[in-house]
Amino acid sequence: MSSSPLATYAQLGLRQLHDQDPELYDLLEREHRRQSETLAMIAASSVAPASVTACEGTVLGNVTTEGYPGARFHAGCEVVDEVERLAVRRAKAAFGARYANVQPHSGSTANQAVMFSLLRPGDVLLGMELSAGGHLTHGSRASVSGNYFTSIGYGTDASGWIDMDEVERLSKEHRPRLIVCGASAYPREIDFVRFRAIADEVGAFLLADISHISGLVAAGLHPSPVDVAHVTTTSTYKQLYGPRGGLILMGRGADTPVPGSRRTLAETLQSAVFPYVQGTPQLQAVAAKSRALALVAQPAFQELARRIVSGATALAAALSAAGYHVLTGGTDNHMVLIDVSRKGLTGLVAEQALESCGIIVNKNKIPDDPHGPRVTSGLRLGTNHLAARGMDTDAVRECAALVDRVLSSVRATDTRTWHLDEPIRSQARADVTSLCARYPLPDLPLEAIV
Ligand code: DSN
């Protein structure tokens, strides 16, 4: 293997980078070290195994083509056709889907393909408000989805639970053509069945964007929307531990006729990705998705998924016991949302103080938040990384204690500035470094290759 053309090419690339471009090589090394030595608790990310990342550095990236396997617009595709067919088979197997499209460059592009093929400009789209935990692409005014379509937003109640009665009321009032469920900041199970019943009642399509919870769905730890929604989308770099990219999936909905056309949903979505919103696929990313999906099918992934959920449950309980207001009172998935305003902090101050100690989280808006998205009153924490490090619930409780130690010690001087005594900061940083060393990321240092 070490002298195969593939391995030689990968090693040569790193060696050339090291020798010929030390400035860039050093930056890559620094980032490698930063990820190893900090506690990432960003709910929207994970860590791709080295074999996934290796696929992205291969010569598949040199193949320019358009179309799908067996129907390309360029020659030279006999190998990449097999790569893409394998990825499609693995995506269908991982989610029990009848249809899978592995070409979307991201979850956002996957959502665009669905929206731009099923809606006309001005059609009504009902999605979760960004400020309530939805996603930019679900109809936010800041995104194309909230400008080309007439976007209506549903939210949560004051405790943070999706208000399904509001979803039903808004659906009956505005008669959307598409309802979007799925969130980027929501710690509870999503009731796909009720969403579908509402969609059917008003004649809407239902799109489930499971980007945040797709690993739990694949592992059977969250109900699957694949046979419930008309279309399901996900990004591949969050809970699938894959590369940057997206997937479109369909179960029973695949054969649904699209009103006003002679095509099924599967046929419509196939041409929505190419040629409607994308051109050349990134075949190196398709290979990396395929590798990640193979890992999702292994028993070890079930164990990882269980650790994600038990870790988040332990994190929510520990923070709650330490006096934090945990939205919805807990979590069903990988995510915990806390209100830091009751500790006299903004989300921005809490995020920055934690980062100075090597704990990486993100500020997040909470219901009725008086602050904008760059300040906020909340924090979003997640356990995808902690689970990948092999942390059990005791180790997660150590993380919670570190978070609490920093947030109890930092003093906000206003909404954006703060002070943390240096001895407290440096002790917390040292404790984070030692926790990271006890639970190392499963990776391969660059030095071992060069
Ligand atoms: N959707 C954004 C988030 O949840 O943070 C990025 O993936």
Side-chain angles (χ1 to χ4, degrees), residues 249-299:
L249 304 162
M250 271 182 269
R252 292 197 193 107
D255 300 328
T256 308
V258 175
S261 100
R262 283 198 294 270
R263 297 193 304 174
T264 63
L265 263 180
E267 288 162 347
T268 303
L269 267 295
Q270 189 78 344
S271 55
V273 175
F274 172 82
Y276 205 44
V277 301
Q278 284 190 187
T280 301
Q282 300 192 27
L283 292 154
Q284 76 289 1
V286 168
K289 289 175 200 178
S290 183
R291 177 66 196 137
L293 289 162
L295 294 173
V296 163
Q298 294 184 2

Side-chain angles (χ1 to χ4, degrees), residues 384-405:
N384 294 343
H385 279 263
L386 307 188
R389 284 180 178 274
M391 287 191 181
D392 57 13
T393 48
D394 283 344
V396 172
R397 278 189 276 274
E398 283 186 59
C399 299
L402 273 163
V403 168
D404 177 41
R405 196 197 311 163

Side-chain angles (χ1 to χ4, degrees), residues 32 35 45-56 236-244 288-289 291-292 295 304 384-385 388 441-444:
H32 204 83
Q35 291 187 21
S45 69
S46 68
V47 49
S51 61
V52 169
T53 306
C55 294
E56 295 211 85
T236 47
Y237 58 88
K238 295 187 176 81
Q239 235 174 28
L240 299 180
Y241 295 81
R244 299 274 137 197
K289 289 175 200 178
R291 177 66 196 137
L295 294 173
L304 179 67
N384 294 343
H385 279 263
L441 281 176
D443 69 358
L444 183 65

Side-chain angles (χ1 to χ4, degrees), residues 42-45 134-136 183-185 212 235 237-238 244 362 380:
I42 299 278
S45 69
H135 189 256
L136 272 171
S184 49
H212 265 271
S235 52
Y237 58 88
K238 295 187 176 81
R244 299 274 137 197
N362 74 279
R380 182 182 68 165

